[in-house]
Amino acid sequence: MMSQLYLLFNHGIVQAQERNGQWTLKENEFDKMELECMALDPHNPDRIYVGTVKDGLWISDDAGKHWKQAGAGIKETRVTAVAVSSIETKNGYGIIWAGTEPSMLYRSEDGGETWSDCPALLDLPSRTTWSFPPRPYTHHVRYIQPDVFDVERIFVGIELGGVMRSMDKGQTWEDRKPGSQHDCHTLTMQSFLKDRIYEAGGGGFAESLDGGQTWETKNEGLADYNYLFDIAVSANNPDIILVSASHGPYNAYNASEANSILARKEGDQPWQIVNDGLPDAQGTTVSSLAASENEPGVFYSANNQGIYRSDDNGLHWRRIEMEWPEQYKQGRVKKLLLR
């Protein structure tokens, strides 16, 4: 079986490909553009979407070799989140959702050629409190999670604002619920478990067992590593959860100040810090995570030190042997996706 990983860095996408036990890296650079987010179309194996800091949304139809700008309709140039529905398609493409700064959500039903917005998102009562601390005059859509069972339902994480839910494809919205994390970073769901949503946020971990109606924060065992960046859930056990964490934003993203770890939770047990086979916390930027759907129990983690793989649901890890250029060691992996 051939594995392929997509790693999003600030100025390019790196493809890590395994064939017959050997891994190689291939980089697709974006000339003078800073990259912010990335999504793969699960219905079209060569299609990739990338959002940029100043240059809008870009699309590739050949696994990253060539790129074109998305069609008209997204009014803002800073695209901070992009997602593709795993269950809703039209005209051969998965339905695409894009989020921006300032906060707005857009939907495309034709592969990104045209877009419609969801203005009711900005009518929520909590909107007056939304603010991104490094730029307190604004806020943005940090993460988009289309429901994996219900095409009508979608969850949007606002940074800093909370998790918002729509039950009608973004036409109307419900405000953030108690128990969820207001500093939402990542959301995920499992394709074999209806109504369970997992959230990693700036204040820790939260989950909902009833489709986002109620939430509970569970941070026991995280100690002072409660600034969570990414989250992944085992493909064969929805109670095994991995998160990447740091003490705070200043220890998460810059290699010179970095201090980050992985933590693992199983069932009702407290979080446990995982370090077998992983690099030292000091000097390691916060990791991006991915769980393999085709290989139960397999996780990948990527950071400035390299790419790591676990075959036993996150208990033990090993670094994948490959060339790792010096510029990667000074950067960070913003997103890790597995094809």
Side-chain angles (χ1 to χ4, degrees), residues 106-118:
Y106 296 88
R107 173 183 166 99
S108 176
E109 299 182 351
D110 56 9
E113 292 299 317
T114 60
W115 299 82
S116 58
D117 60 9
C118 302

Side-chain angles (χ1 to χ4, degrees), residues 188-209:
T188 194
M189 297 182 72
Q190 266 294 1
S191 60
F192 59 84
L193 186 65
K194 189 175 183 180
D195 289 337
R196 189 169 182 179
I197 307 116
Y198 310 80
E199 179 192 8
F205 168 79
E207 68 177 343
S208 174
L209 302 179

Side-chain angles (χ1 to χ4, degrees), residues 82-100:
V82 61
V84 184
S85 173
S86 62
I87 59 172
E88 187 181 11
T89 61
K90 278 195 175 182
N91 305 312
Y93 298 106
I95 298 299
I96 316 160
W97 298 89
T100 62

Side-chain angles (χ1 to χ4, degrees), residues 22 45 76 81 90 95 110 130 135 142 149 170 173 194 203 217 241 251 263 282-283 303 308-309 313 316:
Q22 299 296 315
E76 294 79 15
K90 278 195 175 182
I95 298 299
D110 56 9
W130 301 356
R135 298 187 296 278
R142 174 63 181 259
F149 288 92
W173 291 88
K194 189 175 183 180
T217 289
I241 309 161
N251 301 121
Q282 195 68 41
N303 52 54
Y308 299 80
R309 175 184 165 113
N313 272 319
H316 306 91

Side-chain angles (χ1 to χ4, degrees), residues 4 41 50 54 133-134 154 162 174 186 220 226 234 240 264 266 279 286 296 298 307 310-311 330:
Q4 184 158 288
D41 189 335
V50 169
K54 295 181 180 178
I154 185 169
E174 299 172 7
T186 311
E220 184 183 1
N226 60 2
S234 172
I240 296 178
R264 181 183 186 273
E266 185 167 358
V286 72
V298 171
I307 304 174
S310 171
D311 296 320
Q330 303 307 316

Side-chain angles (χ1 to χ4, degrees), residues 39-41 44-49 59-61 68 93 111 339:
L40 306 179
D41 189 335
N44 191 328
D46 291 326
R47 177 160 271 234
I48 310 173
Y49 300 93
I59 303 170
S60 174
D61 281 312
K68 63 180 180 181
Y93 298 106
R339 179 71 83 183

Side-chain angles (χ1 to χ4, degrees), residues 35-46:
L35 310 186
E36 185 76 14
C37 57
M38 174 176 62
L40 306 179
D41 189 335
H43 313 282
N44 191 328
D46 291 326

